[in-house]
Structure formats: structure tokens, C-alpha cells
Amino acid sequence: MAEFGISPGQHVAVFWDKSSPEEALKNLVDRLQGLTGSEGQVLMENITQLLQSAHKESSFDVVLSGVVPGSTSLHSAEVLAEMARILRPGGCLFLKEPVETTGVNNDKMKTASKLCSALTLSGFVEIKELQREALSPEEVQSVQEHLGYHSDSLLSVHVTGKKPNFEVGSSSQLKLLNKKSSSVKPAVDPAAAKLWTLSANDMEDDSVDLIDSDELLDPEDLKKPDPASLKAPSCGEGKKRKACKNCTCGLAEELEREQQSKAQSSQPKSACGNCYLGDAFRCANCPYLGMPAFKPGEQVLLSNSNLQDA
């Protein structure tokens, strides 16, 4: 029992299952009661009833599961999380479980690494694998009878873990700097400040060489760029010229001007030049008869009937 670290006055929970031999379980509980003394307590419970027992949180100093000689208990994620809940902050968990050593993925049996990962996900810290040993003939028979699992590559693994020194969901107030202390500026080293100080006297020193910004430009930088070179490579490509979205090279404006010129050229030419003034100034065969006056150069859409009548 020395490996469990149990001392007088502690509360210990022992979880067993149907694979645990009755005589071995009784001997284990008797030895634990001798370690905890009259002020301590040893609880013995079937692991299948743990989730329904509704123990108070932080009730036990040590939790033992599957450690009964001959036992082959398996621990689900829900069971491990419940064990973490009923442990006191800093409490220890000791468990033993048969594991698969071939690394074959199955739903029944974990590997040793997956068992440690399950403990971590359940909230335990400082997880250590204490011992690996071959299954006894009684344990092999128990795995086959109670778990329905047949394999020659099983080992029994002893693992321990601790609950963190705080309750799940606990909170603590942060110690923030007050306004007075936060407003105080750190002291500046005078020597460091002097290195970054440039006075007017320093600028008049003959040893200071100033660079003319015009000398940084090459002759090529002063030339006006060719508008064609500013166009995007894909702008206007294809059979139908089309400007890019958010065009900035001028193609969009160029295409718009072309459309306007085409629209103006498609309009009928006025013989008298007074068509835009209204019907009082239009000829008898004017295609704009019956239309309101418009501004010179303004695009006016004519129906096919107007053009045919004209």
C-alpha cells in the first residue's frame, strides 16, 4: 500500500466491477481501513454505479480503481471525469487497466498512450505510468469472460494522476496595477537619451553629409510613363474588349467615349439644324416630330415607326 501514499485521516474511494474477486476486494479494503484509521473513511462502490451515485464534489483524497488483484476494469471518459470531480484539489488517482500493445484501433481496449490521453482530457495532471506487467491467468480469463475480448498482446498498466490544486469552474481576482502606479513613466537613462538627440549644432557640423533627394532619382524615374504600360496584362484581352473591374488604366473611360461617339453617329442628321428646338422649328418630314425639345448633342431614341415614317 505504500505506493498509494495513503495516510491516516484521509477519505479513500475504491471502485470495483464484476471481474473483481470478492476475497481480494475484502482484503484490500481491510488494509486500507488500517491505513486511514478511525478518523479516515474507505468507500467501496461498484464502478457501474458511480455516475448515478451523485457524490459531492471534492469528497475524497485518494481514488483507487481496478487495483483489486485479478480485476480487469475498463474506464470510460465519463467515469474518469466523474472521478476527477469527486477528488479534492491535489488528490490522487490510482488505476489499473488492461491495454492493447499492438496499436490496433478498437472500441473495447485502449493502448497505454490513449489511456494517458483520456486522463488528460478528463482534467488530470502529472500523469505517470507506474508499471506494466503481464496479465495473470485469472485476469486473462476475466477479460475473455467479462469483456468478451480475446488477444495475446494485452498488458496490465498501473497509472496515476492528480487533480489540479483548484476546483473546476473556480475563479480568482487578477491583481491589476492601479492608475497611479500605471501612470508613472519609467526612468530614462540620460546616456541613452543623448545618443538619440540631434541638435541644431550637430546639423552645422561639416562632418555631417546631407543627401540631396533629387540625386536619389534616376533619369528613368523622371520620364513620363507610356499609358499602354500602365494597363493590366489581362485588361482588354479577348475578342471583345472589356475593362477590368475597378479599372484604373483608362480603358473603361476609353470604351465609354467610344460608345458615346457611336450613339451620336447613329442619330439621324438634321437637314435644317433646328430639330432640337421643338416641333415649331422642325421640317414637315422631321423624324423628331411629336417629341419634346432636347439639348444639342443629347441622345434621343427614335422608334422604328418614326424612322420608317421619315
Side-chain angles (χ1 to χ4, degrees):
M1 291 304 122
E3 65 272 19
F4 296 145
I6 298 174
S7 57
Q10 288 188 326
H11 289 217
V12 181
V14 180
F15 295 103
W16 56 277
D17 66 353
K18 59 184 178 181
S19 66
S20 304
E22 183 177 351
E23 188 65 25
L25 176 61
K26 183 178 181 303
N27 293 336
L28 174 63
V29 172
D30 291 341
R31 296 169 67 181
L32 292 174
Q33 289 176 340
L35 291 172
T36 57
S38 58
E39 297 181 357
Q41 180 183 1
V42 177
L43 172 71
M44 184 176 60
E45 186 174 283
N46 193 314
I47 195 171
T48 59
Q49 301 299 319
L50 173 59
L51 299 179
Q52 288 77 30
S53 298
H55 294 288
K56 293 183 179 180
E57 62 182 17
S58 303
S59 302
F60 301 97
D61 300 289
V62 180
V63 170
L64 307 177
S65 181
V67 298
V68 179
S71 175
T72 55
S73 301
L74 299 181
H75 304 84
S76 64
E78 293 80 7
V79 168
L80 293 176
E82 181 64 13
M83 290 179 178
R85 189 187 70 83
I86 65 177
L87 266 175
R88 291 175 180 170
C92 294
L93 167 71
F94 294 90
L95 64 82
K96 184 185 73 170
E97 181 173 323
V99 297
E100 182 66 65
T101 59
T102 59
V104 178
N105 293 326
N106 59 76
D107 298 332
K108 285 189 176 181
M109 208 70 60
K110 307 183 190 72
T111 61
S113 60
K114 288 187 176 181
L115 177 59
C116 293
S117 298
L119 288 169
T120 301
L121 295 175
S122 301
F124 290 96
V125 296
E126 299 183 27
I127 300 167
K128 298 178 183 178
E129 184 180 324
L130 300 177
Q131 184 181 357
R132 287 192 183 194
E133 58 185 6
L135 271 66
S136 64
E138 294 80 6
E139 290 173 339
V140 173
Q141 183 179 358
S142 176
V143 169
Q144 295 176 354
E145 292 180 356
H146 299 103
L147 303 179
Y149 192 82
H150 299 268
S151 176
D152 297 331
S153 57
L154 296 180
L155 287 179
S156 182
V157 176
H158 298 251
V159 182
T160 181
K162 285 186 177 181
K163 181 176 180 177
N165 290 319
F166 55 84
E167 286 290 357
V168 176
S170 60
S171 60
S172 178
Q173 185 176 2
L174 297 177
K175 295 181 180 180
L176 303 176
L177 296 175
N178 54 36
K179 293 183 179 180
K180 292 183 179 180
S181 60
S182 61
S183 61
V184 178
K185 295 183 179 179
V188 179
D189 185 6
K194 187 177 180 181
L195 291 175
W196 295 99
T197 302
L198 187 63
S199 64
N201 295 331
D202 296 329
M203 298 299 294
E204 295 177 357
D205 192 354
D206 295 337
S207 61
V208 177
D209 294 332
L210 299 180
I211 300 176
D212 186 1
S213 58
D214 293 335
E215 295 180 358
L216 300 176
L217 298 175
D218 295 331
E220 296 292 332
D221 298 330
L222 301 176
K223 292 182 179 180
K224 185 177 180 180
D226 183 9
S229 64
L230 301 178
K231 292 185 178 181
S234 60
C235 193
E237 287 185 352
K239 295 181 179 180
K240 186 177 179 181
R241 298 178 66 196
K242 185 178 179 181
C244 302
K245 186 178 180 180
N246 300 326
C247 179
T248 59
C249 67
L251 181 60
E253 290 80 1
E254 181 182 345
L255 295 178
E256 185 178 358
R257 289 193 298 269
E258 291 179 0
Q259 290 179 355
Q260 291 178 355
S261 62
K262 287 181 181 179
Q264 292 178 359
S265 62
S266 63
Q267 294 292 320
K269 294 183 179 180
S270 175
C272 61
N274 298 326
C275 299
Y276 69 93
L277 294 176
D279 285 348
F281 302 91
R282 292 169 182 164
C283 303
N285 60 347
C286 182
Y288 295 101
L289 283 174
M291 293 187 177
F294 54 88
K295 296 179 181 180
E298 184 179 358
Q299 182 179 359
V300 179
L301 299 178
L302 298 175
S303 64
N304 293 331
S305 61
N306 288 354
L307 293 175
Q308 290 174 359
D309 295 341

